[in-house]
C-alpha cells in the first residue's frame, strides 16, 4: 500500500470512527460528506442539507467566509436534534480550498458539569428515598399503634354497650306492658343509639383486625345458594319493617365454592341490609348468583336513589359517606363496605358497584372458585 | 450464613467496576435474604469495595467516571437495607448527621446515620455539601442528642472548623462527634484541638458509643 493510499485509509478511518462532529461542505455551506458520529447525533441524513438547517442561528451567507478566515477560533453553536434537546458543540471551520471542513467537539466543561449534576441528583434521590422509607416506617408504626388502640377500646366498649342495649330492650318491654308511653319513647331511643354504637364498635374491631394484617380465613367448601338463602332469612325482619321485598334468583348451575363462610356472610349481610336500608317502601331487592368458568358472582340490586358517578370510587374507603341517605335517615358507620372489600380482597376476589341515579344500584362480588389459599 | 468469600467479593467488585448495577443488586439481595447482619454488609462489602475503587482510581487504573458510577451504585444498594433499618423499635433519641460544606462524599456519613437508626434512634441525614446555616437550622429544629459531622477529604478541614465553631457558639452543650476518611492517619490527635468533640474511628466504634448513649440517657 502506497503512502497516499495509506493516508487516505487513515483519513477515512478517522472520519468514520472518531467521536467528533465532522462535516465537509462546499463554500456555500451545503454538506457534501458527514461522518457517522454526525449522522448519529442528528439522526438524519446530512448530505445535501445546508449548515443553516443544522446549526441553530447560523447564517452561511453572512458568516461562513468570516468564520473561515479565523480558523483557530472556536464557535459555540447548537445542533438541532430531531425529537430531542439541541446539543451544544464547539465548532471550528477549516478552509480546504474548494471545501470547508466543519469540526465540532463537545465542550469538556459541559460534560464535567453534566457529570457533577448527575452525581448530585443521584445523591439527592438516594437521600430522598431514605427519608421516604423512614417516614413510611414511621407511618406503619403509627398505624399499628392506632389499630391496637382501636382494638382495645372497641373490645372494652363492646360488653357494656351490649348490656345497655339488652337492658333497654327489656325495660322497654316492661314499659309497653304497663303502657308507660313516655318511658317507651326514651328507652327506644336508648336502644336504637346503643345498637348503632354496638355496630360501630363491631366494625371498628373488624377494621383493627383487618388493618393489622391479622385477617385469617378458615376456608371450607360452601354452597353459595345456601349461603344467600340463610342471609336473606336473617334480613327478612328488616325487609318487612321497611316494606321491602327480597327476591332471590337461585342458580342451580352454581358450583360449590371454597370460602370463609362467616366472613362471606358478613359481606352478604352488609350488601343486603344496605340495599334494604336504601330502598323505598314497596320496592324489590334482588339477589342473584351467577357462575362463570373460574369465578362465582353475587349481585345485590336495589331500586334506591342511586349513587352519583363521582362518589362510586369513595364507596369502599373507610369512614366515607356518600350524599345518598338511607330511606329512614338512619346513621351509617361508613365502615361496612370497606370491611366487605377487605374480606373479598383476602379471598382473591373483587367487589364493585354500578349505579343509575334515581333508578337502581347493584353491588357485585366476584369470588374465585379455587382461591390461592 | 458464612462470611462473604474472596471469590464472591471479587465478583461483586468486578461488577461494581463494570457498572453492572443489577448484578450488584442481586448479590446484596441474596445476602439480605440470608440475614447478613447490616454491619457485616457495610464493613465486609460496601466499605472495602469502595476503598478498593478509590485505590484503583488513585493508581490511575480506573477513570473518575468509573469511581463515581461505583459510588452511585453503592448508594442505591444502601436503600435495600432500609426495610431492616427503620423497623427497629424507637428509643426516643435523635441524631443529626451531616457532611461539611464542600464535602461531596456522603456514603460514610449515611452509614453512620444508619447506625443510629439500627439502634432505634431517629437520624436526620443532611447529606453532602451542607451549608453550616442549614445544619444549625436543623439542630435548632430537632434538638438532637448527638450531632455527627463527616469529613472524607482532608482539605475540607477549614469547613469542619467553621461548622464546629458555629455549633459550639449556638449550642454550647451539643454533643459533637466527627469521623471520616480525612482522619484516618491521625484523627485522634487532630480532634484534640476541639473542646468537647469526640472522634469516631469506625462504624463499629460508633455503634458502641450509641449503645452507651442509649443506655445512660445522655
Amino acid at each position: 500500500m502506497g503512502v497516499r493510499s495509506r493516508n487516505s485509509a487513515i483519513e477515512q478511518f478517522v472520519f468514520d470512527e472518531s467521536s467528533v462532529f465532522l462535516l465537509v461542505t462546499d463554500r456555500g455551506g451545503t454538506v457534501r460528506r458527514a461522518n457517522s458520529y454526525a449522522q448519529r447525533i442528528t439522526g438524519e441524513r446530512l448530505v445535501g442539507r445546508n449548515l443553516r438547517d443544522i446549526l441553530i442561528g447560523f447564517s452561511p451567507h453572512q458568516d461562513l467566509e468570516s468564520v473561515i478566515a479565523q480558523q483557530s477560533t472556536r464557535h459555540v453553536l447548537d445542533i438541532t436534534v430531531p425529537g430531542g434537546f439541541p446539543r451544544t458543540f464547539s465548532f471550528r471551520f477549516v478552509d480546504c480550498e474548494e471545501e470547508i471542513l466543519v469540526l465540532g467537539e463537545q465542550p469538556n466543561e459541559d460534560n464535567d458539569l453534566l457529570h457533577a449534576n448527575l452525581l448530585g441528583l443521584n445523591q439527592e434521590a438516594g437521600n430522598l428515598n431514605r427519608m421516604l422509607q423512614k417516614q413510611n416506617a414511621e407511618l406503619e408504626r403509627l398505624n399499628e399503634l392506632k389499630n391496637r388502640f382501636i382494638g382495645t377500646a372497641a373490645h372494652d366498649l363492646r360488653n357494656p354497650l351490649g348490656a345497655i342495649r339488652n337492658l333497654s330492650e327489656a325495660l322497654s318491654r316492661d314499659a309497653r306492658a304497663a303502657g308507660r308511653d313516655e318511658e317507651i319513647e326514651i328507652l327506644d331511643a336508648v336502644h336504637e343509639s346503643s345498637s348503632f354504637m354496638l355496630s360501630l364498635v363491631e366494625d371498628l374491631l373488624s377494621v383493627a383486625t383487618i388493618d393489622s394484617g391479622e385477617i385469617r380465613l378458615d376456608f371450607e367448601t360452601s354452597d353459595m345458594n345456601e349461603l344467600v338463602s340463610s342471609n336473606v332469612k336473617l334480613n327478612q325482619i328488616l325487609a318487612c319493617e321497611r316494606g321491602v321485598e327480597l327476591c332471590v334468583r337461585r342458580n342451580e348451575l352454581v358450583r360449590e365454592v371454597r370460602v370463609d363462610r362467616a366472613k362471606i356472610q358478613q359481606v352478604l349481610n352488609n350488601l343486603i341490609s344496605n340495599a334494604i336500608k336504601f330502598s323505598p317502601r314497596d320496592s324489590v331487592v334482588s339477589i342473584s348468583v351467577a357462575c362463570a368458568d373460574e369465578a362465582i358472582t353475587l349481585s345485590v340490586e336495589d331500586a334506591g336513589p342511586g349513587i352519583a358517578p363521582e362518589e362510586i370510587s369513595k364507596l369502599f374507603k373507610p369512614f366515607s359517606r356518600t350524599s345518598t341517605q338511607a330511606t329512614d335517615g338512619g346513621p351509617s358507620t361508613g365502615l361496612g363496605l370497606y370491611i366487605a372489600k377487605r374480606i373479598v380482597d383476602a379471598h382473591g376476589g373483587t367487589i364493585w358497584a354500578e349505579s343509575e341515579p334515581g333508578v337502581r344500584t347493584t353491588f357485585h362480588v366476584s369470588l374465585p372458585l379455587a382461591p390461592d389459599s | 450464613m458464612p462470611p462473604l468469600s474472596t471469590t464472591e467479593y471479587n465478583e461483586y467488585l468486578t461488577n461494581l467496576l463494570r457498572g453492572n448495577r443489577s448484578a450488584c443488586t442481586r448479590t446484596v439481595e441474596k445476602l439480605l435474604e440470608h440475614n447478613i447482619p447490616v454491619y457485616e454488609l457495610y464493613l465486609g462489602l460496601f466499605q472495602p469495595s469502595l476503598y478498593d475503587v478509590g485505590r484503583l482510581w488513585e493508581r490511575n487504573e480506573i477513570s473518575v467516571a468509573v469511581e463515581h458510577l461505583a459510588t452511585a451504585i453503592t448508594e442505591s444498594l444502601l436503600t435495600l437495607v432500609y426495610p431492616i433499618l427503620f423497623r427497629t423499635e424507637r428509643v426516643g433519641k435523635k441524631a443529626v448527621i451531616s457532611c461539611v460544606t464542600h464535602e461531596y462524599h456522603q456514603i460514610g456519613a449515611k452509614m453512620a446515620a444508619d447506625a443510629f437508626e439500627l439502634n432505634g434512634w431517629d437520624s436526620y441525614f443532611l447529606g453532602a455539601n451542607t451549608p453550616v446555616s442549614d445544619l444549625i437550622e436543623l439542630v435548632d429544629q430537632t434538638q438532637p442528642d448527638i450531632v455527627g459531622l463527616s469529613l472524607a477529604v482532608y482539605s475540607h478541614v477549614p469547613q469542619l472548623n467553621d461548622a464546629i465553631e458555629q455549633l459550639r457558639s449556638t449550642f454550647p452543650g451539643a454533643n459533637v462527634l466527627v469521623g471520616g476518611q480525612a482522619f484516618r492517619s491521625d484523627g485522634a490527635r487532630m480532634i484534640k484541638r476541639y473542646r468537647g468533640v469526640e472522634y469516631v474511628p469506625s462504624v463499629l466504634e460508633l455503634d458502641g458509643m450509641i449503645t452507651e448513649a442509649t443506655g445512660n440517657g445522655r
Side-chain angles (χ1 to χ4, degrees):
Chain A
M1 186 187 280
V3 173
R4 186 184 289 264
S5 62
R6 193 165 59 235
N7 284 347
S8 171
I10 291 169
E11 184 194 313
Q12 189 61 46
F13 178 80
V14 171
F15 197 82
D16 288 341
E17 303 295 331
S18 62
S19 291
V20 285
F21 193 97
L22 278 175
L23 302 176
V24 177
T25 74
D26 63 17
R27 305 290 300 186
T30 302
V31 177
R32 287 182 172 171
R33 288 171 69 199
N35 75 339
S36 50
Y37 182 79
Q39 301 276 9
R40 205 163 59 239
I41 291 287
T42 57
E44 289 183 5
R45 194 173 154 73
L46 293 169
V47 174
R49 291 175 64 199
N50 196 284
L51 283 180
R52 69 170 168 267
D53 302 328
I54 302 164
L55 306 177
I56 296 171
F58 186 75
S59 168
H61 297 303
Q62 289 168 8
D63 302 336
L64 201 51
E65 289 303 325
S66 64
V67 295
I68 297 164
Q70 337 153 356
Q71 283 201 8
S72 57
T73 308
R74 289 172 181 273
H75 303 266
V76 176
L77 293 163
D78 292 332
I79 294 173
T80 53
V81 175
F85 291 109
R87 296 272 296 265
T88 305
F89 281 80
S90 172
F91 282 99
R92 274 182 292 169
F93 297 81
V94 183
D95 193 346
C96 304
E97 296 177 358
E98 283 180 10
E99 294 179 323
I100 298 161
L101 176 67
V102 181
L103 190 151
E105 296 163 279
Q106 233 174 335
N108 273 341
E109 53 274 29
D110 276 12
N111 283 337
D112 293 347
L113 192 65
L114 191 66
H115 189 99
N117 283 340
L118 282 175
L119 280 174
L121 283 173
N122 184 66
Q123 282 187 334
E124 196 63 26
N127 296 349
L128 287 171
N129 190 338
R130 187 179 192 278
M131 205 187 294
L132 196 65
Q133 294 216 33
K134 182 169 165 53
Q135 281 171 354
N136 270 345
E138 186 57 31
L139 286 174
E140 272 170 28
R141 258 194 293 274
L142 287 172
N143 197 34
E144 200 181 309
L145 206 64
K146 176 211 73 180
N147 287 335
R148 225 180 299 155
F149 170 76
I150 289 177
T152 310
H155 185 265
D156 290 352
L157 284 171
R158 190 161 52 170
N159 289 346
L161 277 173
I164 292 169
R165 189 188 63 169
N166 295 340
L167 289 171
S168 63
E169 197 176 4
L171 288 171
S172 174
R173 265 200 308 272
D174 290 350
R176 269 177 226 283
R180 297 193 295 268
D181 291 347
E182 202 177 323
E183 268 180 50
I184 294 168
E185 200 178 319
I186 293 166
L187 289 165
D188 281 354
V190 172
H191 182 257
E192 196 177 314
S193 296
S194 54
S195 295
F196 173 70
M197 283 171 75
L198 201 58
S199 66
L200 178 63
V201 161
E202 297 285 355
D203 281 355
L204 284 172
L205 269 172
S206 295
V207 168
T209 309
I210 288 167
D211 281 358
S212 62
E214 286 171 14
I215 184 164
R216 279 200 207 96
L217 300 178
D218 295 323
F219 283 98
E220 54 185 307
T221 304
S222 310
D223 179 337
M224 198 49 78
N225 281 319
E226 184 257 311
L227 270 181
V228 169
S229 297
S230 66
N231 213 290
V232 164
K233 260 186 219 160
L234 280 176
N235 278 285
Q236 203 64 58
I237 299 168
L238 180 67
C240 286
E241 279 174 11
R242 307 286 177 112
V244 173
E245 185 189 341
L246 296 180
C247 172
V248 182
R249 291 193 208 120
R250 288 171 66 92
N251 185 335
E252 300 308 330
L253 296 173
V254 167
R255 282 186 272 162
E256 288 183 325
V257 61
R258 279 185 68 72
V259 292
D260 181 316
R261 285 177 64 91
K263 298 234 166 29
I264 291 299
Q265 285 281 28
Q266 196 176 346
V267 174
L268 273 171
N269 188 48
N270 180 277
L271 297 183
I272 295 173
S273 62
N274 267 354
I276 296 168
K277 285 177 201 163
F278 285 89
S279 290
R281 194 161 273 282
D282 300 326
S283 66
V284 176
V285 166
S286 304
I287 303 113
S288 60
V289 185
C291 191
D293 288 347
E294 292 173 355
I296 191 165
T297 303
L298 303 156
S299 301
V300 179
E301 184 181 298
D302 67 63
I307 303 155
E310 65 273 15
E311 291 185 321
I312 292 268
S313 61
K314 288 197 286 183
L315 284 173
F316 300 101
K317 292 183 179 157
F319 301 106
S320 68
R321 290 190 179 92
T322 63
S323 53
T324 312
Q325 287 286 311
T327 314
D328 69 347
S332 152
T333 64
L335 289 169
L337 285 173
Y338 170 68
I339 294 167
K341 178 171 168 36
R342 296 298 299 262
I343 291 172
V344 173
D345 286 349
H347 278 81
T350 320
I351 184 168
W352 72 100
E354 293 167 338
S355 187
E356 274 182 73
V359 183
R360 70 175 73 82
T361 299
T362 313
F363 281 86
H364 304 277
V365 172
S366 174
L367 295 167
L369 287 170
D372 289 341
S373 70
Chain B
M1 146 154 214
L4 208 62
S5 72
T6 310
T7 317
E8 284 173 310
Y9 174 79
N10 288 339
E11 194 185 347
Y12 172 82
L13 182 62
T14 307
N15 285 323
L16 194 63
L17 291 167
R18 283 183 183 155
N20 192 342
R21 182 192 290 249
S22 53
C24 293
T25 305
R26 277 198 300 277
T27 304
V28 174
E29 280 174 344
K30 198 175 106 193
L31 291 167
L32 288 169
E33 272 167 27
H34 286 88
N35 300 318
I36 185 173
V38 173
Y39 289 136
E40 205 171 310
L41 189 64
Y42 283 12
L43 302 175
L45 190 70
F46 295 155
Q47 193 183 66
S49 59
L50 285 178
Y51 285 174
D52 280 342
V53 169
R55 266 191 291 275
L56 289 168
W57 173 71
E58 280 169 2
R59 294 205 300 254
N60 209 21
E61 289 180 35
I62 58 167
S63 70
V64 73
V66 171
E67 192 226 347
H68 286 165
L69 185 58
T71 309
I73 290 173
T74 310
E75 188 109 40
S76 76
L77 297 177
L78 283 175
T79 64
L80 300 174
V81 183
Y82 294 159
I84 301 169
L85 212 62
F86 297 128
R87 68 171 181 230
T88 321
E89 201 173 326
R90 303 290 94 184
V91 296
K93 296 218 169 238
K94 291 176 278 186
V96 167
I97 307 296
S98 177
C99 298
V100 299
T101 316
H102 297 160
E103 177 57 72
Y104 287 92
H105 298 82
Q106 65 163 26
I107 290 191
K110 207 178 243 186
M111 288 182 184
D114 291 352
F116 282 98
E117 290 290 340
L118 267 176
N119 280 280
W121 287 47
D122 283 315
S123 67
Y124 299 86
F125 178 63
L126 275 166
N129 186 27
T130 301
V132 182
S133 56
D134 287 9
L135 173 66
I136 298 289
E137 197 182 321
L138 189 72
V139 171
D140 190 36
Q141 273 173 20
T142 57
Q143 299 291 316
D145 298 274
I146 286 177
V147 180
L149 297 174
S150 172
L151 194 71
V153 179
Y154 188 79
S155 59
H156 298 143
V157 165
Q159 282 79 21
L160 177 73
N161 291 342
D162 185 33
I164 291 175
E165 270 173 28
Q166 290 204 43
L167 276 171
R168 278 272 156 269
S169 62
T170 321
F171 311 101
N175 292 308
V176 182
L177 305 181
V178 297
Q181 278 288 285
F183 304 101
R184 68 186 149 178
S185 52
D186 63 346
R189 192 186 58 78
M190 259 175 72
I191 293 306
K192 278 185 185 156
R193 75 170 90 149
Y194 305 108
R195 186 176 44 86
V197 174
E198 279 184 76
Y199 168 59
V200 190
S202 75
V203 173
L204 279 183
E205 286 181 63
L206 174 65
D207 186 70
M209 286 169 128
I210 299 169
T211 310
E212 199 185 318
T214 309
N216 68 17
R218 179 163 66 170

